[in-house]
């Protein structure tokens, strides 16, 4: 696929589909990582004299304007990071968008309002989606796809719009694809994978894929309890997807047959109730064996022995992919496991990839230096689908 280095952008209107889907507390951005990840492409285009039109979704508005999901705070923060005024259009393809784009000078940047305020963005009807893409295309001369976190969506701005304009991949997407190829082609071994998060069902496809490629799979987070239950252990009141037990048992059997090491917690930090994530008030909790969690307790993090075990399994790895926290990292009482895995990645000589989503949020929330990791992805779902071997609509659309 072409990159922005293959385009002549001077004086031209360049539509950049970024991923600026940041968490908001009212109008306060609580994690600007995705905005910062978009900066290199936006800066390169502006410095080359392009008239840069940045567009993104934020949250899940229902196809109509909703101030709770406005990109106005994002436009403000982007301007602060760029050190330049950023114009903001209060709609996507209406009067404000057209006038804002028309007023853009060379090297200047504008942000359109949330694309999902228009029902055509996410429509499953090809004609409706195409009509919206046509209106967006009228605003620009060139298209740059740079929102890796959205490339697994068949949405108008991701899939249909590139077909209507000369197009190329932005630096972020080019980097993401290059990194993911290192996890799928000519992988340096041993190849260790750390999977966490709440639900096994969210990771079925990637586990299926990794059983053919990984040397070691370490499981934590809420999904670990379904694995423990599948082995016949007592998990108390811990999170369980009972309908996934047969699939998990099949994975454990296949892993044994293929010589893939499956590592599960040996102890967990447990409590009688889920913690309050708003107040983060201290809780009563205890460490118990992972194979004998009392009936009235739920596991909320991997325990100290598990943290040491996981660190030892990552110490000699040459490649590590991590997706999903080890526990309820948002609360200090249950952040120890996630912190230990992050530190183990930093200490490892391996090429390390943090697979976006909650893992990337945890790295920033827990105060780690992002530069200490080989790569932090901006797209959790997109990364997983790529590793599953799926065709991602947004990447397919950028191919010539």
């Amino acid at each position: 696929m072409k990159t922005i280095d293959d385009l002549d952008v001077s004086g031209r209107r360049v539509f950049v589909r970024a991923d600026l889907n940041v968490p908001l507390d009212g109008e306060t951005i609580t994690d600007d990582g995705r905005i910062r990840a978009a900066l290199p492409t936006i800066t390169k285009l502006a410095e080359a004299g392009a008239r840069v039109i940045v567009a993104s979704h934020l949250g899940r508005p229902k196809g109509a304007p909703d101030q709770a999901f406005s990109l106005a705070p994002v436009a403000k923060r982007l301007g602060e990071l760029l050190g330049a005024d950023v114009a903001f259009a209060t709609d996507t393809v209406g009067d404000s968008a057209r006038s804002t784009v028309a007023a853009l000078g060379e090297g200047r940047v504008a942000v359109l309002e949330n694309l999902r305020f228009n029902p055509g963005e996410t429509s499953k009807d090809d004609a409706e989606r195409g009509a919206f893409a046509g209106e967006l295309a009228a605003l620009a001369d060139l298209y740059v796809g740079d929102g890796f976190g959205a490339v697994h969506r068949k949405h108008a701005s991701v899939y249909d719009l590139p077909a209507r304009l000369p197009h190329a991949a932005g630096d972020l997407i080019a980097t993401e694809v290059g990194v993911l190829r290192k996890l799928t082609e000519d992988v340096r071994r041993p190849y260790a994978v750390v999977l966490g998060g709440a639900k096994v069902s969210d990771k079925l496809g990637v586990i299926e894929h990794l059983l053919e490629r990984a040397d070691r799979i370490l499981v934590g987070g809420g999904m670990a309890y379904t694995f423990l239950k599948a082995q016949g252990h007592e998990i108390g009141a811990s999170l369980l997807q009972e309908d996934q037990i047969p699939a998990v048992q099949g994975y454990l059997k296949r892993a044994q047959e293929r010589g893939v090491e499956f590592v599960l917690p040996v102890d967990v930090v447990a409590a009688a109730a889920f913690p309050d994530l708003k107040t983060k008030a201290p809780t009563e909790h205890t460490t118990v064996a992972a194979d004998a969690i009392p009936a009235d307790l739920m596991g909320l993090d991997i325990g100290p022995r598990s943290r040491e075990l996981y660190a030892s399994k990552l110490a000699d790895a040459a490649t590590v992919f991590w997706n999903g926290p080890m526990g309820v990292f948002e609360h200090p009482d249950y952040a120890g496991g996630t912190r230990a895995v992050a530190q183990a990645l930093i200490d490892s000589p391996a090429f390390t990839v943090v697979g976006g989503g909650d893992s990337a949020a945890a790295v920033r929330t827990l105060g780690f230096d992002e530069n200490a990791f080989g790569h932090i992805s901006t797209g959790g779902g997109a990364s997983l689908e790529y590793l599953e071997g799926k065709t991602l609509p947004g990447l397919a659309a950028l191919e010539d």
Side-chain angles (χ1 to χ4, degrees), residues 193-203 207 217-228 238-239 241 262-269 290 299-303 306-307 309-310 314 321-329 334 337-338 341 359:
V193 176
V194 186
L195 296 176
K199 297 180 179 179
V200 176
S201 55
D202 292 340
K203 304 288 197 304
I207 294 172
I217 300 176
L218 289 61
V219 178
M223 63 185 286
Y225 304 104
T226 300
F227 278 86
L228 291 166
S238 305
L239 184 65
Q241 284 190 288
F262 241 103
V263 184
L264 296 174
V266 293
D267 62 345
V268 302
V269 181
L300 296 171
D301 191 15
I302 61 172
S306 300
R307 296 167 201 171
L309 173 64
Y310 286 24
L314 297 175
F321 174 70
W322 171 32
N323 181 279
M326 297 294 98
V328 187
F329 74 91
Y334 310 104
T338 303
V341 165
S359 311

Side-chain angles (χ1 to χ4, degrees), residues 108-341:
R108 309 304 293 180
V109 178
V111 173
L112 304 182
E113 185 53 285
N114 192 336
L115 291 165
R116 290 186 182 175
F117 285 2
N118 190 303
E121 170 67 1
T122 59
S123 176
K124 297 194 184 308
D125 181 85
D126 290 349
E128 183 179 16
R129 217 175 49 245
F132 181 49
E135 291 183 275
L136 291 172
L139 297 172
D141 304 306
L142 302 169
Y143 175 91
V144 170
D146 208 40
F148 182 74
V151 293
H152 59 315
R153 306 293 187 194
K154 193 176 181 181
H155 290 170
S157 65
V158 175
Y159 178 74
D160 302 270
L161 182 53
R164 289 161 169 78
L165 292 170
H167 52 264
D171 287 352
L172 177 60
I173 279 188
T175 298
E176 292 275 12
V177 171
V179 166
L180 288 170
R181 282 179 176 156
K182 291 183 180 180
L183 300 179
T184 54
E185 304 168 14
D186 299 320
V187 180
R188 290 169 53 211
R189 297 186 179 280
Y191 178 18
V193 176
V194 186
L195 296 176
K199 297 180 179 179
V200 176
S201 55
D202 292 340
K203 304 288 197 304
L204 289 177
V206 77
I207 294 172
E208 183 86 28
H209 175 93
L210 290 168
L211 280 172
E212 306 296 322
R213 290 163 178 81
D215 300 302
R216 217 172 278 158
I217 300 176
L218 289 61
V219 178
M223 63 185 286
Y225 304 104
T226 300
F227 278 86
L228 291 166
K229 186 70 172 178
Q231 290 183 326
H233 302 312
E234 294 300 325
I235 63 166
S238 305
L239 184 65
L240 172 66
Q241 284 190 288
E242 196 159 5
D243 62 323
Q244 299 299 328
I245 287 178
V248 166
Q249 289 173 329
Y251 289 146
L252 291 170
K253 182 180 179 183
R254 280 178 54 198
Q256 187 174 25
E257 291 170 349
R258 296 188 61 83
V260 177
E261 186 178 7
F262 241 103
V263 184
L264 296 174
V266 293
D267 62 345
V268 302
V269 181
F274 198 83
D276 187 328
L277 299 184
K278 282 194 175 292
T279 65
K280 294 183 171 53
T283 65
E284 290 189 16
H285 55 277
T286 186
T287 299
V288 299
D291 59 358
I293 302 172
D296 60 340
L297 297 181
M298 63 178 72
L300 296 171
D301 191 15
I302 61 172
R305 286 171 48 228
S306 300
R307 296 167 201 171
E308 291 180 7
L309 173 64
Y310 286 24
S312 71
K313 297 295 182 181
L314 297 175
D316 66 341
T319 304
V320 180
F321 174 70
W322 171 32
N323 181 279
M326 297 294 98
V328 187
F329 74 91
E330 301 92 338
H331 193 286
D333 290 347
Y334 310 104
T338 303
R339 186 184 298 279
V341 165

Side-chain angles (χ1 to χ4, degrees), residues 25 35 48 67 76-77 105 142 197 207 215 255 261 280 284 308 313 325 345 353 366 370 374 381 388:
D25 182 3
I35 304 175
Q67 274 305 111
K76 179 182 177 183
R77 180 59 179 151
L142 302 169
I207 294 172
D215 300 302
E261 186 178 7
K280 294 183 171 53
E284 290 189 16
E308 291 180 7
K313 297 295 182 181
L345 263 68
V353 179
L366 298 176
E370 294 179 48
E388 288 174 37

Side-chain angles (χ1 to χ4, degrees), residues 37-59:
L39 287 177
T41 290
I42 294 170
T43 301
K44 181 183 283 189
L45 291 168
E47 289 179 348
R51 307 170 194 265
V52 187
I53 307 157
V54 182
S56 176
H57 70 286
L58 193 156

Side-chain angles (χ1 to χ4, degrees), residues 170 188 230 348 369:
R188 290 169 53 211
S348 169
D369 178 1

